[in-house]
Amino acid sequence: MGKALVTLVNPNLVHPPITPYALDILTTSLEMDGFDVEVVDLTFHRDAWRDVLREYFVGREPLLVGVTVRNTDTIYAQQQRVFLSDHKAIIDEIKALTSAPVVAGGVGFSSMPFALTDFFDIPFGVKGPGENTIVRLADALLTGQSPESVPGLLLNRGGGRVDRVPQVVAQRGKPVFTPLNTVTKYTRRSGEAYKVDNLQYYRGGGLGNILTKNGCAYSCAHCVEPDAKGTHFTRRSVEAVVDEMELLCGQGVYDLHTTDSEFNLAIAHSKAVLREVIRRREDPASSLRNLRLWIYAQPTPFDEELLELLVQAGCAGINLAPDHVSEDLLDDWKVTGRGRRYYSFDDVRRIVELTKRHDLPVMVEVLLGMPGETLETITEAVRETLALDVTVAGYSLGIRAFPYSPLGIQLAQQCDGRQTLPGLQSDTATEPIVLKPRAQCENIVEYERQFVFDAHGRFRPVYYLSPLLPEDPATLASPNGRWERTVQLLWDLVPESEYHRVMLPTLPGLTEDDNNYADNPFLLKLIQLGYTGAFWSHWPRRHEIMQGAA
């Protein structure tokens, strides 16, 4: 028996299932501190989650209940599905079944943590990595200390007011307390009751996951990760990372996808991880000989040595994120923390050529619709990326605006609480979207709420699509215009002979293809048929696979 029981709940009801890595991380740190930890995973019980919760809490009274919120919504402009109502219903049921306080966290939660602490009506929240924070909170509750003693913890004061406990800073400006555990190997399990079942997720979702470092020091305009995960790279111990990979492979989880913001940033550390994988793979008995590694990568830094190490370590594919080809657009978009561009499209061409030497599958992802996007820049982006000899070229149209992404902050400043901006859009908007900068809001909850709720409390996630695109005036003037002409334009720009290797935004009736992850019919069928690995790697054969399964 440990000091007390902490219950962790996964409320994600979206399929294909994605391993709730955060709960393995939290479990590891809590168990190291002497707590008993149980995981109630609702993902595989999405039609009976109430029954699962009621059965679990009969006879159990945990000290604390933690809930992870991985996604607030799809962040896909053509299918603006919000998950927060499901999460709130689950949290409300938990509160009805136990008197234990609830704390929420996760990367989706961290994109608007003050507003969601208020919306879920829970006493505590954690923004960013929180493995040490939840341990400190559990210890405080157990020993009768005030939660006010937990650095960085969000406290719900009621009445729409949520505060954050200040960090304790040493004389040289560094925090005395860090929320991250960077040294320990996270315990990954399969087949154990009331723990995350990594093998079940692999069989049900086709991928496992691995984190080599946390945070991001870059400042890309559309991205929430530096704010949600930390604005510098926190590197994990190389040995701990590779121990974890070997543990997962030993359980039969062979396809591992990195969950870093991008694997190749902080490239020296990335290479060190790969060298340790390669060293261990020399042992004939090592489970890492079965590893198939999938990575997210930026176009730089990326050299020939990194590619050689990836191949030797068992890399199965690279998801490369050039995001666009237009130099003018990228200048104000893909930048370091100091505002400098860090790659050009020539870097993308160079990497693709390098990967062809090893027949390594590559997907390039392009984000269309940012400020300044025009018919000419979209045409250029499609032409140049289709010219790349890659497995898949994926195109998204429209950018989700979040409270702390540079784009979201800029849009709020430009609206200035007085006027809407051309390009602000939400499918559920019933009136013009007028954002207020933080300084004009009564509190931080009000500032964050406006990015996902309208003034009447209805869900209204905010998106941005460039008004310079060739849409009709009625669409541009409407707060819920759909930019349908641009979607059709993208399909027209792609020759039919290339359809097999492109992912394009879709609208009802336009195509049978659907490239959104949430409850994707093709991806669900892939999993049913036993395919593993990154979704995109099977995309060019989708029609053949679906016909064979008929």
Side-chain angles (χ1 to χ4, degrees):
M1 289 286 293
K3 295 193 293 189
L5 172 65
V6 176
T7 298
L8 303 176
V9 178
N10 179 21
N12 185 13
L13 305 181
V14 173
H15 280 211
I18 298 173
T19 310
Y21 196 176
L23 299 189
D24 271 342
I25 295 172
L26 297 178
T27 296
T28 300
S29 292
L30 285 163
E31 288 180 339
M32 285 180 59
D33 201 64
F35 288 96
D36 293 325
V37 183
E38 293 182 339
V39 173
V40 181
D41 198 335
L42 304 179
T43 297
F44 296 102
H45 306 281
R46 56 180 180 169
D47 296 323
W49 59 263
R50 282 188 173 84
D51 294 337
V52 171
L53 287 175
R54 289 167 185 168
E55 179 181 338
Y56 174 80
F57 281 106
V58 171
R60 285 184 178 88
E61 192 56 47
L63 173 73
L64 176 68
V65 177
V67 179
T68 181
V69 177
R70 184 182 186 274
N71 298 104
T72 57
D73 51 86
T74 60
I75 65 170
Y76 182 58
Q78 285 70 50
Q79 188 193 81
Q80 298 177 14
R81 179 177 165 192
V82 178
F83 305 132
L84 294 176
S85 58
D86 288 337
H87 296 333
K88 180 167 173 53
I90 289 167
I91 289 172
D92 286 346
E93 185 71 19
I94 292 169
K95 293 192 297 182
L97 295 169
T98 178
S99 61
V102 175
V103 58
V107 67
F109 178 87
S110 296
S111 67
M112 49 186 75
F114 292 84
L116 293 184
T117 300
D118 175 68
F119 173 67
F120 293 144
D121 191 23
I122 54 177
F124 308 122
V126 176
K127 177 175 180 173
E131 53 261 44
N132 290 340
T133 306
I134 196 171
V135 170
R136 185 73 72 90
L137 174 61
D139 276 324
L141 295 173
L142 183 65
T143 59
Q145 299 177 60
S146 169
E148 304 266 3
S149 65
V150 182
L153 184 68
L154 273 61
L155 302 173
N156 192 343
R157 309 293 191 184
R161 179 186 164 203
V162 177
D163 296 330
R164 191 175 193 182
V165 178
Q167 290 282 0
V168 179
V169 180
Q171 288 185 344
R172 296 186 178 182
K174 291 186 177 182
V176 173
F177 171 79
T178 173
L180 279 161
N181 176 355
T182 61
V183 177
T184 305
K185 172 182 68 178
Y186 300 140
T187 303
R188 313 296 295 272
R189 297 177 169 97
S190 294
E192 293 189 31
Y194 294 113
K195 303 295 181 188
V196 175
D197 191 334
N198 284 275
L199 184 58
Q200 184 182 20
Y201 271 96
Y202 181 51
R203 290 171 173 167
L207 282 170
N209 43 25
I210 188 71
L211 177 74
T212 75
K213 61 183 175 298
N214 225 321
C216 184
Y218 289 42
S219 190
C220 301
H222 67 288
C223 191
V224 302
E225 295 210 1
D227 179 76
K229 294 183 175 182
T231 55
H232 62 278
F233 297 117
T234 304
R235 300 158 180 83
R236 294 184 61 203
S237 156
V238 168
E239 290 71 22
V241 170
V242 183
D243 282 350
E244 192 179 329
M245 296 169 78
E246 197 161 27
L247 182 65
L248 285 168
C249 286
Q251 295 170 16
V253 183
Y254 302 131
D255 290 89
L256 299 181
H257 208 307
T258 57
T259 63
D260 308 21
S261 293
E262 306 288 351
F263 176 70
N264 61 319
L265 304 182
I267 191 171
H269 181 261
S270 307
K271 290 178 178 180
V273 169
L274 294 173
R275 289 190 186 101
E276 180 61 14
V277 171
I278 294 165
R279 186 188 69 79
R280 297 193 195 187
R281 279 166 64 98
E282 293 175 355
D283 180 354
S286 174
S287 63
L288 287 171
R289 294 173 73 90
N290 296 313
L291 172 66
R292 292 186 291 269
L293 181 64
W294 304 82
I295 71 164
Y296 293 117
Q298 286 291 324
T300 62
F302 203 120
D303 56 24
E304 291 189 45
E305 182 186 35
L306 177 64
L307 184 61
E308 292 288 345
L309 291 170
L310 282 166
V311 171
Q312 293 176 53
C315 183
I318 299 172
N319 189 321
L320 190 63
D323 290 328
H324 213 287
V325 306
S326 168
E327 299 295 328
D328 290 340
L329 289 182
L330 291 172
D331 276 345
D332 296 323
W333 176 5
K334 298 301 293 287
V335 295
T336 66
R338 296 181 179 180
R340 294 197 311 268
R341 269 277 300 287
Y342 57 96
Y343 68 86
S344 72
F345 195 66
D346 284 340
D347 293 306
V348 179
R349 295 188 182 98
R350 176 182 56 82
I351 294 167
V352 171
E353 286 302 313
L354 287 174
T355 60
K356 300 316 295 181
R357 300 178 191 175
H358 300 279
D359 293 323
L360 193 61
V362 174
M363 176 181 176
V364 293
E365 290 199 75
V366 183
L367 302 181
L368 303 170
M370 285 287 282
E373 189 84 81
T374 64
L375 170 62
E376 291 72 23
T377 60
I378 273 193
T379 302
E380 179 191 16
V382 173
R383 182 182 65 248
E384 294 296 331
T385 48
L386 281 181
L388 298 171
D389 186 9
V390 293
T391 309
V392 173
Y395 304 91
S396 300
L397 176 65
I399 311 295
R400 176 74 163 91
F402 283 98
Y404 304 111
S405 66
L407 175 64
I409 294 170
Q410 178 185 21
L411 293 172
Q413 290 172 340
Q414 291 175 346
C415 283
D416 197 32
R418 298 179 295 106
Q419 61 186 5
T420 190
L421 291 178
L424 282 179
Q425 185 272 354
S426 181
D427 287 355
T428 56
T430 58
E431 56 194 12
I433 299 170
V434 181
L435 301 173
K436 295 196 290 187
R438 172 67 183 91
Q440 289 185 14
C441 296
E442 180 180 349
N443 53 43
I444 197 166
V445 170
E446 180 189 0
Y447 173 70
E448 292 179 356
R449 278 184 61 89
Q450 64 184 332
F451 286 87
V452 74
F453 298 99
D454 67 13
H456 309 287
R458 297 180 294 240
F459 290 123
R460 186 221 54 202
V462 177
Y463 286 78
Y464 180 87
L465 297 98
S466 172
L468 303 178
L469 290 168
E471 291 296 332
D472 62 88
T475 295
L476 295 174
S478 172
N480 56 20
R482 296 299 302 276
W483 267 253
E484 293 180 0
R485 284 188 179 181
T486 306
V487 174
Q488 183 63 63
L489 166 69
L490 283 169
W491 281 86
D492 294 341
L493 287 173
V494 177
E496 192 170 341
S497 61
E498 298 279 20
Y499 278 179
H500 69 285
R501 69 179 187 106
V502 297
M503 292 181 175
L504 289 164
T506 60
L507 291 169
L510 178 61
T511 172
E512 64 184 27
D513 290 331
D514 177 3
N515 68 354
N516 182 39
Y517 186 91
D519 296 304
N520 181 284
F522 170 61
L523 186 47
L524 291 171
K525 179 60 68 174
L526 276 180
I527 301 306
Q528 182 182 331
L529 294 173
Y531 285 84
T532 63
F535 172 28
W536 59 263
S537 66
H538 305 294
W539 185 256
R541 297 181 55 241
R542 62 194 178 280
H543 298 302
E544 175 188 343
I545 292 170
M546 294 294 275
Q547 289 170 5

